[in-house]
Amino acid sequence: MPGLPERVTIYEVGPRDGLQNEPAIVPLDVKVEFIERLVAAGLSIVEATSFVHPRWVPQLADAAEVVARLDLAGSVPLPVLVPNERGLDRALEAGCTHVAIFASATETFAAKNLNSTLEGQFALFEPTVERALAAGLDVRAYVSMCFGDPWEGDVSIDQVVATGSRLLDLGAGQLSLGDTIGVGTPGHVGTLLDAFASADVAVDRLAMHFHDTYGQALANTLASLQHGITTFDASAGGLGGCPYAESATGNLATEDLVWMLDGLGIQHGVDLASLVATSTWMADQLGKEPASAVVRALGVA
Ligand code: HMG
Ligand code: MG
């Protein structure tokens, strides 16, 4: 297909977004092995865990223990989520070099996910980003509910662009646009990306974060590629969901993304067989079938 990039970066979120919604606590050893296997499979960046309040996301309460077991000095960055200065302090103490803040484009989700407001969330992020940058950390920002919100319905493009631009203005290097509940469709993706372009946000500062609830994630990825996006968030095996967003299911599966990129001749650096083996193993650990169609088609433990 004409006009597509030669290479993309897959930003793997399985250990964080993938596991955060799992009800049974995954053992520390399994989490560490999962991350190490993803790195070995060729993922060039792997989001490892979250320094959020352990009561809000009990599955990731062991964030410091996980990070302590990882090779933070290796060539593959292992970012962690931090919602506020307390989270940043914990990430700094653990020796993290890459952090991600996460904002909401809607009032209701800011309340549900951050116990804050659309405006109030910036009071959490401003000092967090300032201190993270001063400490030499790489900072990514997410904005959730970019394509629809389970409580508020449609979300205005202007509100998404305003929220996202403000996060970039704080100094975040990259902005990941989240379809938290997976309701977006390709035309909507195009309209949103055109709006960011009109607001003078360079396309190489944007990443797309699709959940696959309505089966639109790959179609939306293709639309994003056609708009020049070169970073895609994905979760091994299609694990995932947000505990504070009704009806959020798994992320775009990394294997499904890799399959499409291979078909398009777009480079990504991931070894599909090794990734499928990892997701098959992880599904066994969780005692469930992999959500990814490609893992189900190819998967043999
Ligand atoms: P809060 O209750 O308002 O916190 O929660 P607070 O600031 O009032 O503090 C209350 C207590 O919590 C204090 O302790 C703080 O020290 C402590 P006390 O003085 O009472 O002993 N505390 C913390 N402890 C550990 N780590 C921290 C922390 N912060 C405060 N970081 C808070 C506010 C932001 C902490 C809470 O709402 C929270 O943790 N939310 C996280 C929710 C979450 O993780 N959601 C999933 C990730 S987002 C997502 O999945 C979407 C994404 O994938 C993109 C997409 O799909 O759209 C990224
Ligand atoms: Mg997500």
Side-chain angles (χ1 to χ4, degrees):
M1 291 177 72
L4 301 184
E6 275 177 25
R7 182 172 185 88
V8 302
T9 299
I10 301 179
Y11 183 105
E12 172 63 44
V13 295
R16 193 280 302 172
D17 209 344
L19 294 186
Q20 71 184 7
N21 211 25
E22 287 297 323
I25 300 297
V26 176
L28 176 62
D29 284 348
V30 173
K31 288 176 179 166
V32 171
E33 185 174 343
F34 187 34
I35 295 164
E36 288 174 344
R37 287 178 71 147
L38 291 167
V39 170
L43 271 316
S44 55
I45 184 161
V46 180
E47 197 166 80
T49 185
S50 291
F51 285 96
V52 296
H53 196 296
R55 212 172 39 241
W56 283 64
V57 183
Q59 180 63 258
L60 303 183
D62 59 1
E65 287 96 322
V66 170
V67 169
R69 299 261 303 268
L70 301 176
D71 178 12
L72 296 177
S75 58
V76 174
L78 302 167
V80 296
L81 290 195
V82 296
N84 54 13
E85 288 190 275
R86 175 84 185 98
L88 176 66
D89 288 338
R90 294 174 60 209
L92 286 170
E93 204 173 311
C96 296
T97 56
H98 288 62
V99 295
I101 56 167
F102 49 100
S104 171
T106 69
E107 202 64 76
T108 311
F109 192 59
K112 301 254 184 207
N113 200 46
L114 291 164
N115 195 25
S116 188
T117 61
L118 202 46
E119 183 57 36
Q121 62 184 342
F122 288 97
L124 300 178
F125 303 142
E126 275 163 17
T128 305
V129 175
E130 192 180 313
R131 286 185 45 216
L133 293 175
L137 270 50
D138 181 277
V139 180
R140 167 185 243 227
Y142 286 94
V143 56
S144 286
M145 303 300 173
C146 293
F147 294 87
D149 172 294
W151 300 279
E152 299 185 18
D154 292 344
V155 177
S156 94
I157 298 274
D158 287 351
Q159 197 165 310
V160 176
V161 173
T163 307
S165 301
R166 212 166 145 186
L167 295 167
L168 288 172
D169 290 346
L170 288 184
Q174 186 175 62
L175 181 70
S176 175
L177 303 176
D179 186 2
T180 320
I181 57 168
V183 291
T185 49
H188 196 162
V189 170
T191 307
L192 182 62
L193 291 178
D194 287 344
F196 270 103
S198 300
D200 286 331
V201 174
V203 73
D204 62 3
R205 297 189 73 189
L206 297 176
M208 303 308 286
H209 180 103
F210 295 119
H211 285 260
D212 204 21
T213 319
Y214 289 80
Q216 304 298 300
L218 272 183
N220 291 339
T221 299
L222 184 56
S224 308
L225 285 166
Q226 289 171 319
H227 277 76
I229 296 285
T230 54
T231 301
F232 292 93
D233 300 359
S235 167
L239 291 169
C242 177
Y244 294 101
E246 279 169 19
S247 73
T249 61
N251 291 81
L252 166 62
T254 314
E255 292 85 352
D256 298 11
L257 173 61
V258 164
W259 186 269
M260 186 177 81
L261 294 174
D262 281 346
L264 291 168
I266 298 174
Q267 294 168 43
H268 49 72
V270 177
D271 181 272
L272 182 59
S274 157
L275 183 60
V276 168
T278 299
S279 294
T280 307
W281 164 81
M282 195 64 212
D284 280 351
Q285 302 298 317
L286 297 172
K288 58 202 248 185
E289 284 293 301
S292 159
V294 170
V295 175
R296 287 200 306 274
L298 299 179
V300 181

